[in-house]
Amino acid sequence: MAGNKDFSPAFADDQWTLVERHFEKEHNRIWETLCSVGNGYLGMRGSFEEGLDGYSTGGTFINGYYENSPYRYPEGFPGYAENNQTILNLADTRAIRLVFDDGEVYQGLAANKAIVSDYSRRLELQTGLLTRELTWQSPTGKKIHLKFERLVSFDLPHVAAVRLTITPQSDCGAHLTIASLIDYQIRRETSHQHDPRNAAALENELVIEGQEVFPEGGALLFQRTHHSQITAACGLRDRLPNHPETSKVPVDDRQEAVIGTYYTVPLKIDQPIILEKYMVYCTSLDVRPDNLRHKVLDELRAAYTSGFAELCTAQSRILRTFWDHANITLDGDDWTQGAIRFNMFHLLQSAGRNGQTGIPAKGLTSQGYDGHYFWDTESYMLPFFLHTDPQIARKLLEYRFNTLDHARRRARDLSHPKGALFAWRTINGEECSANYPTGTAQYHINADIAFAVKRYFDVTGDKVFMLDYGAEILFETARLWFDLGDFIPTRGNRFCLHSITGPDEYTTLVDNNTYTNLMARENLMFAAQIARWMQTEHLERYEQIKNKKEVALEAHEPADWQEAADKMYIPEPVNVGSEDAPHPVLPQDDLFLYKPLWNRAADNIPLPLLLKHHPLVYNRYQVCKQADLILAEFMLGHLPIFSREQKERDFNYYEAVTTHDSSLSRCIFSIAAAQLADPADPNDPYLNKALAFYRASATIDLDNHRNETRNGIHAANMGGSWMGIVFGFAQMRTHDGLSFCPLLPPGWTAYAFQVYYQERRVQVQIGPGRDSSGYPICTFTLTENKPNQPPLVIRVCEKTIQLAVLNESVTIRR
Amino acid sequence: MAGNKDFSPAFADDQWTLVERHFEKEHNRIWETLCSVGNGYLGMRGSFEEGLDGYSTGGTFINGYYENSPYRYPEGFPGYAENNQTILNLADTRAIRLVFDDGEVYQGLAANKAIVSDYSRRLELQTGLLTRELTWQSPTGKKIHLKFERLVSFDLPHVAAVRLTITPQSDCGAHLTIASLIDYQIRRETSHQHDPRNAAALENELVIEGQEVFPEGGALLFQRTHHSQITAACGLRDRLPNHPETSKVPVDDRQEAVIGTYYTVPLKIDQPIILEKYMVYCTSLDVRPDNLRHKVLDELRAAYTSGFAELCTAQSRILRTFWDHANITLDGDDWTQGAIRFNMFHLLQSAGRNGQTGIPAKGLTSQGYDGHYFWDTESYMLPFFLHTDPQIARKLLEYRFNTLDHARRRARDLSHPKGALFAWRTINGEECSANYPTGTAQYHINADIAFAVKRYFDVTGDKVFMLDYGAEILFETARLWFDLGDFIPTRGNRFCLHSITGPDEYTTLVDNNTYTNLMARENLMFAAQIARWMQTEHLERYEQIKNKKEVALEAHEPADWQEAADKMYIPEPVNVGSEDAPHPVLPQDDLFLYKPLWNRAADNIPLPLLLKHHPLVYNRYQVCKQADLILAEFMLGHLPIFSREQKERDFNYYEAVTTHDSSLSRCIFSIAAAQLADPADPNDPYLNKALAFYRASATIDLDNHRNETRNGIHAANMGGSWMGIVFGFAQMRTHDGLSFCPLLPPGWTAYAFQVYYQERRVQVQIGPGRDSSGYPICTFTLTENKPNQPPLVIRVCEKTIQLAVLNESVTIRR
């Protein structure tokens, strides 16, 4: 699946460290993506402190920081999104330049004539450090060893740090000048002309609002966007612990667009020189603009005072807790084991957790998709957080709640007098989708968010959240569905949804997309249920929401929602076989199964269709970009319409017509195949399918699938790789209590994970070995308990177990 | 229906002259549109020679002259149209300024303090002259009478002329300075933000390439577009017949952007001063750029030599022939009588007739819709020319033939390996539609053009045209349908068309739009038929087309087309009634009748929905912008599926859901209502409906419907007003010989028209009076005959008559 055969990353340290050992300029941008470090607020690509012109896409991103730019449509219509928002590449505080006293400049890996040896770049998933080492021998014979260490602090969200250790290994002259800089030249890759997945190209996006160089070393820089008028401030302080009294020369070079400090230190063979850089980022979204300078100085002081070693200690401590809760172990497939951890680590690095931000499609590793948040936050990534660190899941939902006013305005823009329509893609909550057939028409985002609210409530039982945030989200989304749909006389007065787009973006503007209708039904039902519950048990809060000026719920509405849910139209299966050999398949929408099949053989260039054909071409065919009905058959797989036979027919049918041109697709097909596998049959063909889909999906970024990794990670697919283990192979479900039905794929000796559920954590171990019936042997252990409560009931296939006491463990073998 | 109550145009001279008698600045732009003069090549709005800043949208347009501008899509996809083309407002050669010798400037109707009396502006449909008269009394007491006459020559397509007669009625000083100028300042109205019907805003669209002022008076100017690199040259020569020896001062004022000549002439009470301006326009599309100057000088010389009076004579002569063939007389409804003639006159002024141009949506009266040609050229306007001046109809079809290479490239852009897809909107043949759901997806344009080829052939029998042009159009369009559609197993292997948009632009991207499927079937059938005919009778020419490199027809293809036609899927009627009282209605497409009805009462602002709502809103409902199925029921009304009962149910159903937000709608509803009326019943409600729709449609521009006339005429609707008489009330059909079934609407005493058919012309007179069965008395007269041929057979309702001899006349009364 690798886009480039020479590119071969590997894991070390028992699959805890991603290592690049052989440097290739052409692969540098891929490694920069993979080695990005971040903390959900701040992200930095794994680019070199010394730069690498022409082979690097450096990047420093703050989640939620954006520039607005007005859309100009060649043919515009009312209600079209008015502005785009784009995440910006901020000034780079990690820049370092080294100059020897004969004037020779250390050129790092850019130099053709220098000899580089002992190279490695390592992303350490347990310490959270990005390290890089190399020995550099200049054409004039100077030889030095360099070690760079970098972290973006999980403890202090505004803080990052770099430690450089320079060890001369030959006579390199008497002194070395070290420039520790903030580089504010904006570097950006030109966007590919026809690839809508890249970021919009903005010009002169950031103005320098102010800058300061500290006499004691370090600097401050303020950048402001033109349109959105948000200021980002960054600060830098340095420490040279072995040379505290060295000379400092302030730098403010507007030509080169750098500020900072030159340090000149004596050089001696084998005597290491250490530079510690403490970096801080903060924006006027975080604090009042007039407090920004103060805040940055405070944060800088805190980071500088704790010191690099202490930051590392805190980083390891936080990651230890994270892995304690999130780690998945997998025996028998090292590459996939590494990939799973790598993916979880990046999820942790990508998720906003301040209630004002979500998870950008590319995490904080690039400007791809403009740094927007999509539906996949809730549908692909939130489950991971929900079952490992539910507080982050809550914050992601709070973010949606905080955009409700925008969503209400958006609903009015689309002529809905009531309700809220969440933005298909956005940073601050305003709709940024400029192509409505694959954007705004995807109303299902409303149901996806409501479903996440339900999932969160099912798993946490967090009533405070439901009353404070969840209920209003549920009500406003339910109202939108009720206004959007209609009871259709020619359909026996069933409730239908028209001119919408489901998850599959190759089939747009359809009627009765099965996924959407089913998910809207869940939304309507659950909203009605929560309304009834609140009317009974939390009437005051119910009245509060009801009477909120911007809500103004009418008394009959919850009953309306229930009626629409009860009468929701779900397309019937269509016979795609013959009259003699009927083969009823559930349609993706009213007409999907009446379209022609795409002749895939004639289309052998491995490009996504969306980069090759006009939408009118693939829209015409039974060809899917991604799972759509199949996603519904996973998310709502328990519904009676999804009998095993139906699921099997549908899986095979849709597998044949799906291109997986979306990275959201294969992980779902893996889960859907797992649903069909017999747990007792180690050679079940569906199990093999599930595994093949799983491996292809879990390693998309590591394998540089379609040579896209340079443009950033696929964050949602990373969430899919967690779901593939827990919802796929272990078949965990939570819609009706906690249940599992674990599979053990061929080649995997055993795997284990832990999940949060109802104030408890359960360790689930599948394998090694199978019992006499052929079922994988499974062990369930209560690793965290809820005091003074009845035992936790878990259904495991047809059995039920109970775990009552901390560390109690049940092994199931027949 | 008038958008503005104070606006009340009227006809004089037996409904042959449109007259403005009372000048209102606020209405000037409306009158400028109505009083545009043009000849299909050159068009000039009826603006004042002396200007009227702030209340005028002057305009001089050359059909087919355009600037390119690249589209920038906020989210672009492969195959999206790459460039827009925009018709440009060229330098204004008709500018005149008058300065009295005390320095006072004649300010025309702009001056607040001057007194204007005896004002009139008249568009004379018989002479083709636009005249304007007024008496102007300045604040200082000068009083002059002015008469402006203007024509754009039907005889010399590059030539226009103005004659100004100035008669002092008081002492106005000893001399008058007359400036006769070319004004090249670009004036353009800002486009309304959300109205996609206006032209794109271009900046610095024209560069001045060169200019000359003639010492003997007059000037030349060369303007070139930036991107399309087309040069337009204009020239001006003046004659002052009463003052041949007057002093001439050349003007070249770059500040004011004018060139030309100052003439100073003596002023005497009651002694008229005459200025004749001869104006020429020509472009590098007409002649080689290095011949352009020469060509303009030649044309100027020709115009100047013939003189204004001679140009007027030729203009009248040509119009006499035109009206001899085209005139419709209508007794009993003067306003409609005038409107019909006005509409035909504008059609004549709008139609390109050089085989390189079509008919812009707004004629040559504005830059609306960027001056693009659409499907309505063939479907709404070509029939008028076909039956009055078939040579123009032929040239319009030749234009399409001449864009076949662009249409083939467009088909490839949309992944069709064969065939041609005509541009939805274009000037030079390249697709300019930037919104594919209401643009490129309207594949029906292919069938509309093919249908026009069939219609042209049915009416003219022009085999040379068919062999030279028609056949290749038919083959290439048929191939596109065959590649676009598919035999669908779940539809019993019927041939279906998916993801296309029919004529109704409020319902987009549908499957099996009934209109499109039916019209595509005609296209496929007729192409197969012509292929068979050529294989039998014109094999050599057939082989020539077949072997043309860019065609490369395979032997099996005509049989494929026939098969697709034979198996074409046509949606079945849907019961919109109850089970007890079934009411089967033909659906507009697969799903139209399963969508909700639009609650029209809730939407009482008289704006087109497209200016109020996001497309996702109206797309969701059974709400039509215009006739769609109803258009098919007119164009293919003879098909067995369209029984009278079916037509009646469908008419009533679709009438209730149609907004007529498109000006293409009402004329078709008028014809469809006429189809349902009983010819013998003068009070048939459908006849009343037909009349109401007809009157509302025929006067859209004259009544300043929705205050839109300022933005140009609705050319296609003007064609619809001709169709409404001939195809509507007289119910002429030509698909199977010539037939009529005339109706006589209430209030109309009689009406008459003449049609060209098979090298003959027939005068048709309906009324006055009805026969004893109640049928209108009709007289058919052969006014032009085909020598040595069998008599012309005409079916009139259930009767058949024959006309054999020139001037033979048959009156039908029962």
Side-chain angles (χ1 to χ4, degrees), chain B residues 125-138:
Chain B
L125 308 181
Q126 286 172 303
T127 64
L129 283 184
L130 170 65
T131 67
R132 180 161 56 101
E133 289 190 73
L134 58 97
T135 303
W136 190 80
Q137 193 168 354
S138 84

Side-chain angles (χ1 to χ4, degrees), chain A residues 743-813:
Chain A
L743 310 170
L744 187 58
W748 291 12
T749 320
Y751 63 100
F753 57 87
Q754 202 178 180
V755 286
Y756 168 91
Y757 182 78
Q758 301 278 16
E759 297 179 54
R760 300 160 176 102
R761 289 185 197 266
V762 183
Q763 169 80 17
V764 183
Q765 161 89 33
I766 293 114
R770 291 173 178 269
D771 63 23
S772 57
S773 315
Y775 284 78
I777 295 163
C778 313
T779 304
F780 295 83
T781 310
L782 197 60
T783 51
E784 197 173 305
N785 201 9
K786 186 181 181 182
N788 308 321
Q789 287 290 319
L792 178 64
V793 177
I794 305 175
R795 275 177 296 117
V796 184
C797 301
E798 79 292 357
K799 290 185 187 297
T800 299
I801 63 167
Q802 297 198 349
L803 295 174
V805 189
L806 190 65
N807 296 324
E808 185 180 352
S809 184
V810 174
T811 295
I812 300 183
R813 70 176 92 214

Side-chain angles (χ1 to χ4, degrees), chain B residues 9-209:
Chain B
F11 287 99
D13 307 330
D14 280 341
Q15 283 52 258
W16 280 111
T17 300
L18 180 70
V19 189
E20 175 192 33
R21 289 197 196 280
H22 178 65
F23 183 77
E24 286 283 357
K25 278 179 183 172
E26 288 68 24
H27 296 156
N28 185 50
R29 287 190 169 100
I30 305 174
W31 280 102
E32 285 180 348
T33 294
L34 298 176
C35 292
S36 294
V37 286
N39 61 14
Y41 173 82
L42 176 64
M44 291 179 167
R45 282 174 64 81
S47 51
F48 295 166
E49 285 78 358
E50 65 273 35
L52 189 68
D53 271 357
Y55 295 92
S56 167
T57 310
T60 304
F61 307 110
I62 293 179
N63 196 356
Y65 184 79
Y66 64 91
E67 171 61 320
N68 270 332
S69 53
Y71 280 134
R72 283 193 199 87
Y73 297 97
E75 262 184 74
F77 286 89
Y80 272 24
E82 284 178 16
N83 289 293
N84 194 17
Q85 297 171 0
T86 304
I87 197 170
L88 296 183
N89 184 3
L90 298 172
D92 178 5
T93 50
R94 53 202 188 276
I96 293 173
R97 312 275 178 271
L98 304 179
V99 187
F100 297 97
D101 60 3
D102 64 356
E104 185 170 13
V105 177
Y106 163 71
Q107 294 164 350
L109 292 133
N112 282 326
K113 291 179 184 157
I115 299 163
V116 173
S117 55
D118 304 325
Y119 172 85
S120 72
R121 175 157 49 179
R122 303 161 57 92
L123 180 67
E124 303 179 2
L125 308 181
Q126 286 172 303
T127 64
L129 283 184
L130 170 65
T131 67
R132 180 161 56 101
E133 289 190 73
L134 58 97
T135 303
W136 190 80
Q137 193 168 354
S138 84
T140 60
K142 301 186 191 77
K143 189 172 180 186
I144 53 172
H145 180 266
L146 298 169
K147 180 176 185 185
F148 297 86
E149 295 161 286
R150 182 192 302 174
L151 62 81
V152 173
S153 172
F154 287 115
D155 188 31
L156 306 170
H158 299 280
V159 169
V162 161
R163 177 164 65 188
L164 167 59
T165 307
I166 307 163
T167 313
Q169 297 188 342
S170 73
D171 179 4
C172 299
H175 293 92
L176 178 68
T177 298
I178 305 175
S180 173
L181 303 169
I182 299 177
D183 177 347
Y184 56 91
Q185 212 178 101
I186 291 166
R187 294 178 182 84
R188 206 162 185 200
E189 280 197 285
T190 355
S191 68
H192 303 213
Q193 212 189 342
H194 276 318
D195 194 338
R197 300 169 300 186
N198 292 328
L202 302 182
E203 274 166 39
N204 306 319
E205 47 203 29
L206 285 165
V207 262
I208 302 300
E209 219 179 20

Side-chain angles (χ1 to χ4, degrees), chain A residues 405-457:
Chain A
D405 281 338
H406 285 305
R408 279 187 270 259
R409 273 194 290 276
R410 184 65 185 151
R412 304 303 164 268
D413 287 348
L414 284 155
S415 309
H416 298 291
K418 293 175 182 178
L421 177 59
F422 285 104
W424 175 249
R425 55 188 298 178
T426 187
I427 293 178
N428 83 343
E430 290 173 84
E431 176 64 281
C432 296
S433 160
N435 183 52
Y436 75 86
T438 56
T440 298
Q442 294 198 50
Y443 285 86
H444 66 83
I445 189 170
N446 257 23
D448 302 325
I449 292 169
F451 192 81
V453 168
K454 178 173 189 302
R455 212 184 315 231
Y456 175 82
F457 191 63

Side-chain angles (χ1 to χ4, degrees), chain A residues 675-735:
Chain A
Q675 283 192 138
L676 297 170
D678 176 358
D681 179 358
N683 298 313
D684 188 307
Y686 287 111
L687 185 58
N688 281 298
K689 276 213 165 158
L691 182 61
F693 275 123
Y694 186 77
R695 297 196 77 208
S697 148
T699 58
I700 279 184
D701 293 312
L702 285 168
D703 279 340
N704 189 27
H705 184 70
R706 288 196 191 117
N707 205 19
E708 271 194 327
T709 302
R710 57 186 286 157
N711 300 323
I713 60 165
H714 295 83
N717 175 65
M718 291 173 157
S721 92
W722 181 88
M723 293 202 295
I725 297 290
V726 177
F727 297 150
F729 296 117
Q731 298 203 66
M732 182 176 91
R733 297 292 180 272
T734 56
H735 63 272

